[in-house]
Amino acid sequence: MIKTVGVDEVTDSDFAEVVLKSGLPVLVKFTADWCGPCRQLGPVLTAIAAEEGDRLKVVQIDVDTSPETTIAYGVLATPTLIVFRDGEPVKSMTGARPKRRLLQELTDVL
């Protein structure tokens, strides 16, 4: 998986521990190495992870190597962003977007 600075990688095996049991809301990027828009979203998520790290955890999961989690949350396209709070998905967005727009979309979950 392409590394995104400041964004941890999760897999099927640690998703529940890292995401569902987190004390903070978690923004999960469902991604793939072959996905161009996913790469465009990398710097946006790096910036958000740095700026909002006290209020939001940001992680990514590879849809090809973690199919169970991908299927469990009905992810059909990449990039898909899902925000989890208290172990439940509370917001879902598909496609790359600029930082300002993503922050606006996250205001109701932060």
Side-chain angles (χ1 to χ4, degrees), residues 8 18 20 22 26 28 32 35 39 60 65 94 101-102 105:
D8 291 334
V18 175
L20 304 182
S22 174
V26 183
V28 180
C35 170
R39 285 193 287 278
Q60 64 182 7
T65 58
T94 303
R101 180 172 158 210
L102 182 54
E105 292 173 315

Side-chain angles (χ1 to χ4, degrees), residues 33-50:
D33 286 344
W34 45 263
C35 170
C38 298
R39 285 193 287 278
Q40 294 172 340
L41 200 51
V44 171
L45 294 184
T46 295
I48 289 175

Side-chain angles (χ1 to χ4, degrees), residues 3-110:
K3 282 280 205 191
T4 302
V5 177
V7 177
D8 291 334
E9 295 174 13
V10 295
T11 64
D12 282 344
S13 62
D14 64 358
F15 186 85
E17 189 64 37
V18 175
V19 175
L20 304 182
K21 295 180 181 177
S22 174
L24 289 175
V26 183
L27 174 62
V28 180
K29 172 185 160 191
F30 288 82
T31 188
D33 286 344
W34 45 263
C35 170
C38 298
R39 285 193 287 278
Q40 294 172 340
L41 200 51
V44 171
L45 294 184
T46 295
I48 289 175
E51 294 169 19
E52 301 292 339
D54 56 333
R55 301 191 306 158
L56 178 73
K57 181 186 235 177
V58 182
V59 300
Q60 64 182 7
I61 187 166
D62 188 301
V63 298
D64 293 324
T65 58
S66 294
E68 291 173 23
T69 303
T70 302
I71 292 166
Y73 292 101
V75 174
L76 301 174
T78 56
T80 291
L81 302 170
I82 301 179
V83 179
F84 290 82
R85 185 191 292 140
D86 300 323
E88 296 295 325
V90 294
K91 186 170 193 90
S92 179
M93 302 156 278
T94 303
R97 59 235 314 119
K99 181 179 138 193
R100 179 203 250 154
R101 180 172 158 210
L102 182 54
L103 284 172
Q104 287 173 339
E105 292 173 315
L106 292 172
T107 54
D108 59 334
V109 294
L110 290 178

